[in-house]
Amino acid sequence: MRAFRIAAYDAPPELVEFDLPPPGPGEIRLKIEACGLNFADLLMARGRYQERPEPPVTLGMEMAGTVSALGEGVTGLTVGDRVAAQNSHGGLAEEANVRADWCVRLPDDMPASDAAAFQIAYGTSHVALDYRARLQPGERLVVTGAAGGVGLTAVEIGALMGAEVVAIARGEEKLEVARQAGATHLIDARSLDIREQIKALGGADVVYEAVGGDLFTQCFRATNPDGRILAIGFASGEVPQIPANHLLVKNLTVIGLYWGGYRVHRPKVLTDSLAQLFRWYEEGRLHPRISQQFPLDRAADGLEMLRLRKSTGKVVVTVP
């Protein structure tokens, strides 16, 4: 089969052919139809992600397709089932072996491309805002990187949960995308007075922060007493340093979130969250935005879109 993989960390990914072994105990063989790309794939290729499987490694963390074989002991799934699956790697390929308990059946009318764009982006935002930050109706939610694949879902879910959403993104085009997803207020990330603009709106009750660097600092300083700050990621490449005395004086809470970590120590958090998200999708209340789709042999182009931050919404790789 064909797969887009790295032979060593920091080596350029290549499309190669190799034989995939049969699924092991508790695994299913997935015939992949689509794979969603994430900023974490870029970190994985450089060996800078939280998980570091031994190379060679096939990139791609979230995938959707059809079950084609069952490993020993698998129950609850059958050959022919359409499922979405999430793993730290393996999705940019024609097939993958995935743990059965990391698979979720798809709604009947959900295209594979939507499913591949759905799990990590919507799952991260829902677990962050609902399970971790306990976002309440009427609270003011500030979202950085608000037009990206994950940030856009935070805007959409935050609005769905009744929050007043402030979207921060770069440029009018991206801000318009965030407005269409439910943002009430728009701030250009290139502004020099982001802190002052947030405070003029009444300050932030919850901050969904995926960029890091100076933007984190400005949002941190604009957070109201008793506010919560979700550390989602550091797309700028700069991990912020948090002054603990400010946490004390303003009774702030900084909350870390690594969505994939729940797969191991509390998987029910993810399965319950995805069940709710799929219900909202079936009700027409969530609308995955796919900005670009690339075939498997152009997966490198999709990753470059992420690296240059040119996408608005998710980038998806399709597998014929």
Side-chain angles (χ1 to χ4, degrees), residues 73-93:
V74 172
T75 59
L77 291 174
T78 60
V79 172
D81 283 346
R82 298 179 66 248
V83 300
Q86 195 272 331
N87 196 10
S88 66
H89 59 282
L92 286 173

Side-chain angles (χ1 to χ4, degrees), residues 47-89:
R48 297 179 60 186
Y49 192 57
Q50 293 95 321
E51 299 179 36
R52 286 174 53 94
E54 188 68 27
V57 177
T58 300
L59 301 177
M61 298 183 173
E62 57 183 332
M63 60 208 86
T66 303
V67 177
S68 61
L70 304 176
E72 181 182 349
V74 172
T75 59
L77 291 174
T78 60
V79 172
D81 283 346
R82 298 179 66 248
V83 300
Q86 195 272 331
N87 196 10
S88 66
H89 59 282

Side-chain angles (χ1 to χ4, degrees), residues 145-186:
V150 175
L152 198 61
T153 65
V155 172
E156 191 174 6
I157 291 173
L160 186 56
M161 293 176 68
E164 177 186 336
V165 181
V166 181
I168 302 177
R170 187 175 293 268
E172 292 183 5
E173 181 181 351
K174 290 186 175 183
L175 287 171
E176 175 59 21
V177 171
R179 187 194 64 77
Q180 293 176 14
T184 303
H185 308 286
L186 308 175

